[in-house]
Amino acid sequence: MHGIGKRRWVIAEGYLPPPDARLSRQLSSHETACMLNAGDAPAQVTITIFFADREPAGPYRVTIGPRRTLHLRFNDLADPEPVPTDTDYASLIESDVPIVVQHTRLDSRRAELALMTTTAYACD
Amino acid sequence: MHGIGKRRWVIAEGYLPPPDARLSRQLSSHETACMLNAGDAPAQVTITIFFADREPAGPYRVTIGPRRTLHLRFNDLADPEPVPTDTDYASLIESDVPIVVQHTRLDSRRAELALMTTTAYACD
Amino acid sequence: MHGIGKRRWVIAEGYLPPPDARLSRQLSSHETACMLNAGDAPAQVTITIFFADREPAGPYRVTIGPRRTLHLRFNDLADPEPVPTDTDYASLIESDVPIVVQHTRLDSRRAELALMTTTAYACD
Amino acid sequence: MHGIGKRRWVIAEGYLPPPDARLSRQLSSHETACMLNAGDAPAQVTITIFFADREPAGPYRVTIGPRRTLHLRFNDLADPEPVPTDTDYASLIESDVPIVVQHTRLDSRRAELALMTTTAYACD
């Protein structure tokens, strides 16, 4: 199957609540870029993180295998630098083959969960 | 009326929390593909589920009658195999006539509800 | 100013939780179609409600003045018939001039609020 | 890098819950327009706020530096007038260079957080 989607995506919202060591990985606060590579070739993905008051960070590089989804937590990005917590950011996701990107945040700063999601903005 | 929408849609986010037998069907955690077939012909819909580390599952097949909506819970898919819980997935939804797809998750892992929704990604 | 947006929109998700008379209008569960008519002519809007197992309801008719927004609660639709609670539905929103539509649900079935929103699907 | 996105965006939903002085800035209810200017030129942004029953407010003016994101809280808009609380509104965001806009509300009227987000509607 040929790939489905676009090669450039933007998630303009980004915010990682401060971590809480008492919570499991499933229930701790996180922001995720859910990416689908429906095609038959691997997707080489590059992520750039933009901030309010400094130059962008990155590029961060990940590979998504053919016919695979990757739900990438921004909290897990480490190279070239971690994404700071309690800081506004935005992200640009570029792939060498078409992919689809959806953004999700699970927030557990309070006792209960809060969730939000949106299809990211696809660039022509 | 002619159909409205597109023939291919992607929901890149997918995650079914583990089931909780104490909750009613309305309030138990679920992910839903809300589909509208506004046209005058039935829509033959095929769903493929993609994972992080194995080949895709499916095709799952459903029919949406003319001028009908189907709010399909991924939890209810059974043939050819159930969608595993506590596992990242993504879905490709293909129809022989134009439809519109919106994605919703209700999460009741904690005492309170969390909700999220987005219009799915429509492919040309 | 000329109008902004499209003339046909779809919200494929629709569900009104059963009403709870103890809650204020602001905090009771509701689904809303937030519509903006940024143009200089009134928008004549027609809404059709689709169901899983019966023919569509409507048309419901509302007018949005020039340079005005209308946040229409589906709970408030009454003519030709109320939208049933605890029932899956979807909606088609048609206007004679371009508008923009965003869908929101506030859910207060439990003690805490849950919120979700998405830009509706714009038809060409 | 050339800019990414569009020059006109609409957020049809807008509602600021009444303020609660007991909460921190991070956890108090707010609505945000998250904007990314990925290009190498500053973005001059103009915001117009539409209401249900009066003429629009604005223009509000902000600048986003090159390669910067601005997460603008509607609660913080003051000139030419604050955005009223407990009032339905919608917003039109116009930029002289392409940007991407995502809408987020954090609602803390109850003890727990509720979150919602969507990519705004991009105008051609």
Side-chain angles (χ1 to χ4, degrees):
Chain A
M1 181 187 284
H2 288 289
I4 295 174
K6 299 283 187 183
R7 289 182 172 80
R8 291 207 301 182
W9 294 81
V10 169
I11 302 169
E13 195 279 339
Y15 178 78
L16 298 178
D20 181 337
R22 298 167 302 174
L23 294 169
S24 70
R25 178 171 168 87
Q26 282 80 4
L27 292 177
S28 64
S29 293
H30 56 268
E31 286 218 325
T32 304
C34 299
M35 298 180 279
L36 174 64
N37 174 17
D40 288 328
Q44 308 293 339
V45 177
T46 301
I47 301 168
T48 306
I49 306 288
F50 294 81
F51 300 98
D53 52 8
R54 52 157 281 198
E55 287 296 311
Y60 301 88
R61 300 183 193 281
V62 294
T63 301
I64 311 171
R67 300 176 303 281
R68 294 294 185 273
T69 186
L70 175 63
H71 293 197
L72 179 72
R73 291 192 182 195
F74 288 96
N75 314 52
D76 290 340
L77 293 175
D79 180 16
E81 61 183 292
V83 179
T85 59
D86 199 19
T87 302
D88 292 339
Y89 67 91
S91 52
L92 169 65
I93 298 172
E94 299 172 287
S95 171
D96 61 344
V97 297
I99 61 173
V100 177
V101 179
Q102 185 172 340
H103 169 232
T104 300
R105 191 206 294 175
L106 182 150
D107 195 314
S108 51
R109 280 177 284 180
R110 297 294 179 93
E112 300 294 332
L113 298 183
L115 288 175
M116 66 184 195
T117 196
T118 187
T119 299
Y121 176 72
C123 305
D124 296 330
Chain B
M1 182 187 284
H2 288 290
I4 294 173
K6 298 283 187 183
R7 288 183 172 79
R8 290 206 301 181
W9 294 80
V10 169
I11 302 169
E13 195 281 338
Y15 178 78
L16 299 177
D20 182 337
R22 298 168 303 175
L23 294 168
S24 70
R25 179 172 169 87
Q26 281 80 5
L27 293 176
S28 63
S29 293
H30 56 267
E31 286 217 327
T32 303
C34 299
M35 298 180 279
L36 174 64
N37 173 17
D40 288 328
Q44 308 294 340
V45 177
T46 301
I47 301 169
T48 306
I49 306 288
F50 293 80
F51 300 99
D53 52 9
R54 51 158 281 197
E55 286 296 310
Y60 300 88
R61 299 183 193 281
V62 294
T63 300
I64 310 171
R67 301 175 301 282
R68 293 293 185 275
T69 186
L70 175 62
H71 293 197
L72 179 71
R73 291 191 183 196
F74 288 96
N75 313 52
D76 290 339
L77 293 175
D79 180 18
E81 60 183 293
V83 180
T85 58
D86 200 19
T87 302
D88 293 339
Y89 67 90
S91 52
L92 169 64
I93 297 171
E94 299 172 287
S95 172
D96 61 343
V97 297
I99 61 173
V100 177
V101 179
Q102 185 172 340
H103 168 232
T104 301
R105 191 206 294 175
L106 181 150
D107 196 315
S108 51
R109 281 177 283 180
R110 297 294 179 94
E112 301 293 332
L113 297 183
L115 288 175
M116 66 184 195
T117 196
T118 187
T119 299
Y121 176 73
C123 304
D124 296 330
Chain C
M1 181 186 284
H2 287 291
I4 294 174
K6 299 282 187 184
R7 289 183 172 79
R8 290 206 301 181
W9 294 81
V10 170
I11 302 170
E13 196 280 338
Y15 179 79
L16 298 177
D20 182 337
R22 298 167 304 175
L23 294 169
S24 70
R25 180 172 168 87
Q26 281 80 4
L27 292 176
S28 63
S29 293
H30 56 268
E31 286 218 325
T32 304
C34 299
M35 299 180 278
L36 174 63
N37 173 17
D40 288 329
Q44 308 295 339
V45 176
T46 301
I47 301 169
T48 306
I49 306 288
F50 293 81
F51 300 97
D53 52 8
R54 52 158 280 196
E55 287 296 311
Y60 300 88
R61 299 183 193 281
V62 294
T63 301
I64 311 171
R67 300 176 302 281
R68 294 293 185 273
T69 186
L70 174 62
H71 293 198
L72 180 71
R73 291 191 182 195
F74 289 96
N75 314 53
D76 290 340
L77 293 174
D79 180 17
E81 60 183 293
V83 180
T85 58
D86 200 19
T87 302
D88 293 338
Y89 67 90
S91 53
L92 169 64
I93 298 171
E94 298 172 287
S95 171
D96 61 343
V97 296
I99 61 173
V100 177
V101 179
Q102 185 172 341
H103 168 232
T104 301
R105 191 206 296 174
L106 181 150
D107 195 314
S108 52
R109 281 177 283 180
R110 296 294 179 93
E112 300 293 333
L113 297 183
L115 288 175
M116 65 183 195
T117 195
T118 187
T119 299
Y121 176 74
C123 304
D124 296 329
Chain D
M1 181 187 283
H2 287 289
I4 294 174
K6 299 283 186 182
R7 288 182 172 80
R8 290 207 302 182
W9 294 81
V10 169
I11 301 170
E13 195 280 338
Y15 178 78
L16 298 177
D20 182 337
R22 299 167 303 174
L23 294 169
S24 70
R25 179 172 169 87
Q26 281 80 4
L27 292 176
S28 63
S29 293
H30 56 268
E31 286 218 325
T32 304
C34 300
M35 299 180 279
L36 174 63
N37 174 17
D40 288 329
Q44 308 294 339
V45 176
T46 300
I47 301 169
T48 305
I49 306 288
F50 294 81
F51 300 98
D53 52 9
R54 52 157 280 198
E55 288 295 310
Y60 300 87
R61 299 184 193 281
V62 294
T63 301
I64 310 171
R67 300 175 303 282
R68 294 293 185 275
T69 185
L70 175 62
H71 293 197
L72 179 72
R73 291 192 182 194
F74 288 96
N75 314 52
D76 290 340
L77 293 175
D79 180 17
E81 60 183 293
V83 180
T85 59
D86 199 20
T87 302
D88 293 339
Y89 67 91
S91 52
L92 169 65
I93 297 171
E94 299 172 287
S95 171
D96 61 344
V97 297
I99 62 173
V100 177
V101 179
Q102 184 172 339
H103 168 232
T104 300
R105 191 207 295 174
L106 182 149
D107 195 314
S108 51
R109 280 177 283 181
R110 296 294 179 93
E112 300 293 333
L113 298 183
L115 287 175
M116 65 183 195
T117 196
T118 186
T119 300
Y121 176 73
C123 305
D124 295 329

